[in-house]
Amino acid sequence: MSRYYVNKFLYTVDSDPKWVAAYKADPRGTIDRWEEEVGQWLTPSEKTSWLSFTEEEREALATHNYVWLFEHGAHFFLNLTLFIALYDQEYTARSGPLSFQREMADKLSPWVGKEYPSVAL
Amino acid sequence: MAELTAVLASTHHPFYYKATTSPPDERPPYAGDWQRKVEAYRETLIAADPDILVMVGADHFHQLWLDNYPQFLIGQAEQYDATFYNEEREFGIPKFLLQGDVDFSRYMHQELMNQEFDLAVSHELKIDHSIICPIITVRPEADLPVVPIYTNIFVPPLPSPKRFYELGRAIRRVIDSYPTEKKVVAIGTGHLSLELGGPRQFGEHGPDPLFDADAIEWLSTGNAEAILANVTHESMSGVGNATHGFMDLLLMMGIAGEGEHADYVDQLDLFHTREMYITWYPYKNQKQAEAATAAAEVSDASTGPIYANDAVWDQFREEKQESEQGTGADALSAVGEGSER
Ligand SMILES: [Fe+2]
């Protein structure tokens, strides 16, 4: 389990339009490429040798499964912002403003009234 | 010594820019009211005649990241770029270049250290919407030098509410002692009850309007005791997973001072969240008093505290009562059914 690494994925993809587009078009392939080109790097020349995803984390990211990510403590802000980037435009065109955000709320509704999974690392 | 001519504490909302600059037929229905209130609030800053802005906000994982995350950080740069690609993408917020005030930043940093607040420092800080939103709302000319201070409201473990309040008190002492003839205004933004990326996001109202009622009373009456007795990290999570931004409003109240009643208080139920706009004038003069009164006439704001028993919140109190009575009645009937069997 590497919640940090999952957050690093969400954070670095969200902050670069090239990675946002790639993650939208080919999520599974993008994860592998991201690990090579971004995930294992601390700075452009310094490598972190030990970070990796669990199979479940990889699968959740490969299927854009933000519910699983929420339930396993991915940071709520990153989880929201990146999936807005991926889906807001098409949802807004189809069903009006904020319809993606409302669907996300709806899918997470079993958590109303409960303590949410912690985002603490 | 510097004169602190005003303290502004408000919510920030990145939707404001697009909502109020789109062509009229693309603006959301709430844009008109919102703009009227924001532009009235802006007048309360103009009356404070600021030369320098001390600005408090929180980076939303734009520059500050989990490989090295500071609890409190001050910017000390000649200039500050803003905003980030993903904020432009999501909110349409334009780029800015704000002037810094290196001497004041250095003085603020050293003096806060002298008061046992060991802030991190950044000499290359890019500003995000927590500071650009108030620039857009209350100083769209973006013409004043800024001293930016960032807080951690995002990465647990967070500093305690008390620590935010005490940092506000310390910032006030530093401003009061800064040797300059200039006028300083402190502007900070945060949130009332707020949910992001969770099941209560983007509902019909904010996640907990009755928390907002208490929060606005506490802030606008300078009631530090009530806040520190009632507000914890856990209680904030309970009223919305992103409510911890309230601590930045508490920090601003610390700058204004304990027991200080605000001179201008406004709020707006903006469906999924409640907006709040507060101004304190520490040395209120006639011009400021008149500006607050005139602004309040335009916006229907108050020129003093808004209390939690205000009629604005009757609707939510009634709903809460009904739902509590509802549960009570269900429980009773369940007992009744049980005893019949
Ligand atoms: Fe924000």
Side-chain angles (χ1 to χ4, degrees):
Chain A
M1 176 71 193
S2 174
R3 234 183 289 178
Y4 170 75
Y5 203 40
V6 170
N7 282 329
K8 185 174 182 178
F9 180 86
L10 301 174
Y11 167 65
T12 53
V13 170
D14 182 58
S15 55
D16 185 333
K18 294 189 301 290
W19 285 106
V20 171
Y23 184 48
K24 167 115 180 138
D26 172 22
R28 207 171 284 277
T30 298
I31 295 167
D32 295 337
R33 194 160 64 80
W34 176 88
E35 285 207 272
E36 286 300 311
E37 295 178 23
V38 179
Q40 299 179 29
W41 296 94
L42 177 62
T43 70
S45 56
E46 295 298 331
K47 208 163 185 176
T48 298
S49 61
W50 51 271
L51 287 169
S52 65
F53 294 120
T54 64
E55 276 319 302
E56 279 182 305
E57 288 166 347
R58 189 182 297 277
E59 192 55 28
L61 291 172
T63 53
H64 291 176
N65 189 347
Y66 58 74
V67 173
W68 190 95
L69 294 169
F70 175 89
E71 294 184 338
H72 292 80
H75 198 283
F76 56 84
F77 188 83
L78 300 168
N79 200 33
L80 172 63
T81 304
L82 178 56
F83 287 102
I84 284 177
L86 300 187
Y87 289 109
D88 184 52
Q89 233 179 356
E90 63 191 66
Y91 273 66
T92 297
R94 200 168 59 222
S95 317
L98 299 176
S99 52
F100 171 72
Q101 290 85 332
R102 293 204 169 106
E103 181 176 298
M104 182 179 202
D106 205 45
K107 287 188 179 173
L108 294 170
S109 61
W111 288 94
V112 172
K114 295 185 189 149
E115 195 180 326
Y116 301 171
S118 172
V119 301
L121 297 176
Chain B
M1 297 298 130
E3 186 189 344
L4 177 68
T5 55
V7 179
L8 275 69
S10 86
T11 48
H12 72 245
H13 202 315
F15 286 6
Y16 179 80
Y17 181 81
K18 215 194 249 174
T20 55
T21 56
S22 306
D25 58 317
E26 287 170 31
R27 286 185 204 184
Y30 50 81
D33 256 6
W34 198 4
Q35 185 165 13
R36 178 170 55 87
K37 283 179 173 286
V38 161
E39 289 179 357
Y41 186 48
R42 188 180 300 160
E43 295 297 322
T44 72
L45 174 63
I46 292 171
D49 230 354
D51 300 309
I52 307 173
L53 305 177
V54 172
M55 301 198 71
V56 176
D59 180 83
H60 300 59
F61 289 137
H62 288 119
Q63 177 169 346
L64 306 182
W65 173 238
L66 298 173
D67 62 345
N68 188 0
Y69 203 88
Q71 297 292 8
F72 297 113
L73 176 143
I74 184 165
Q76 186 193 313
E78 286 167 29
Q79 303 186 54
Y80 301 94
D81 283 304
T83 52
F84 290 79
Y85 142 73
N86 46 10
E87 302 178 286
E88 297 178 58
R89 176 192 75 209
E90 188 173 346
F91 309 121
I93 300 175
K95 290 200 179 301
F96 284 86
L97 178 62
L98 303 181
Q99 297 305 304
D101 184 327
V102 170
D103 288 340
F104 194 14
S105 278
R106 190 184 292 116
Y107 180 84
M108 178 72 76
H109 191 195
Q110 184 61 60
E111 292 300 313
L112 289 175
M113 299 274 289
N114 292 348
Q115 297 185 57
E116 317 296 339
F117 281 93
D118 305 329
L119 274 69
V121 63
S122 172
H123 298 276
E124 185 181 356
L125 186 65
K126 191 162 187 179
I127 297 292
D128 86 351
H129 74 257
S130 64
I131 285 179
I132 288 304
C133 286
I135 290 290
I136 289 169
T137 52
V138 296
R139 195 72 184 190
E141 304 87 344
D143 57 345
L144 296 175
V146 301
V147 172
I149 296 174
Y150 271 157
T151 66
N152 175 17
I153 58 164
F154 242 37
V155 179
L158 309 177
S160 66
K162 180 153 185 281
R163 195 73 179 150
F164 276 78
Y165 175 68
E166 296 292 350
L167 178 57
R169 297 303 303 142
I171 291 170
R172 172 61 181 270
R173 288 189 288 272
V174 178
I175 294 171
D176 285 347
S177 72
Y178 184 50
T180 177
E181 295 308 307
K182 290 177 179 164
K183 296 192 181 81
V184 176
V185 167
I187 300 176
T189 66
H191 298 292
L192 299 171
S193 69
L194 179 67
E195 178 100 342
L196 292 174
R200 293 171 289 177
Q201 72 178 354
F202 296 102
E204 253 179 86
H205 303 283
D208 197 328
L210 294 180
F211 170 82
D212 301 345
D214 284 334
I216 293 175
E217 173 176 325
W218 293 331
L219 293 168
S220 64
T221 55
N223 194 344
E225 206 183 311
I227 294 178
L228 298 180
N230 287 288
V231 177
T232 63
H233 295 149
E234 293 71 31
S235 76
M236 284 184 278
S237 300
V239 300
N241 67 346
T243 305
H244 303 90
F246 173 70
M247 292 191 291
D248 281 332
L249 304 176
L250 171 60
L251 187 160
M252 299 315 294
M253 194 191 89
I255 299 179
E258 177 150 25
E260 293 296 330
H261 282 202
D263 298 291
Y264 181 90
V265 186
D266 198 10
Q267 55 79 35
L268 171 67
D269 185 3
L270 196 75
F271 69 106
H272 63 284
T273 181
R274 190 169 293 263
E275 291 281 284
M276 181 201 78
Y277 312 113
I278 288 185
T279 300
W280 290 269
Y281 292 122
Y283 310 100
K284 185 162 64 174
N285 60 33
Q286 183 153 359
K287 176 179 138 191
Q288 291 162 352
E290 284 170 5
T293 303
E297 271 169 30
V298 173
S299 60
D300 302 313
S302 166
T303 51
I306 297 180
Y307 291 90
N309 63 11
D310 194 281
V312 168
W313 284 283
D314 284 349
Q315 170 198 355
F316 303 104
R317 267 188 288 273
E318 283 160 20
E319 282 170 17
K320 192 177 176 194
Q321 249 174 12
E322 276 166 26
S323 79
E324 279 170 2
Q325 279 167 0
T327 354
D330 286 351
L332 275 179
S333 70
V335 169
E337 281 165 25
S339 62
E340 277 166 29
R341 277 188 208 122

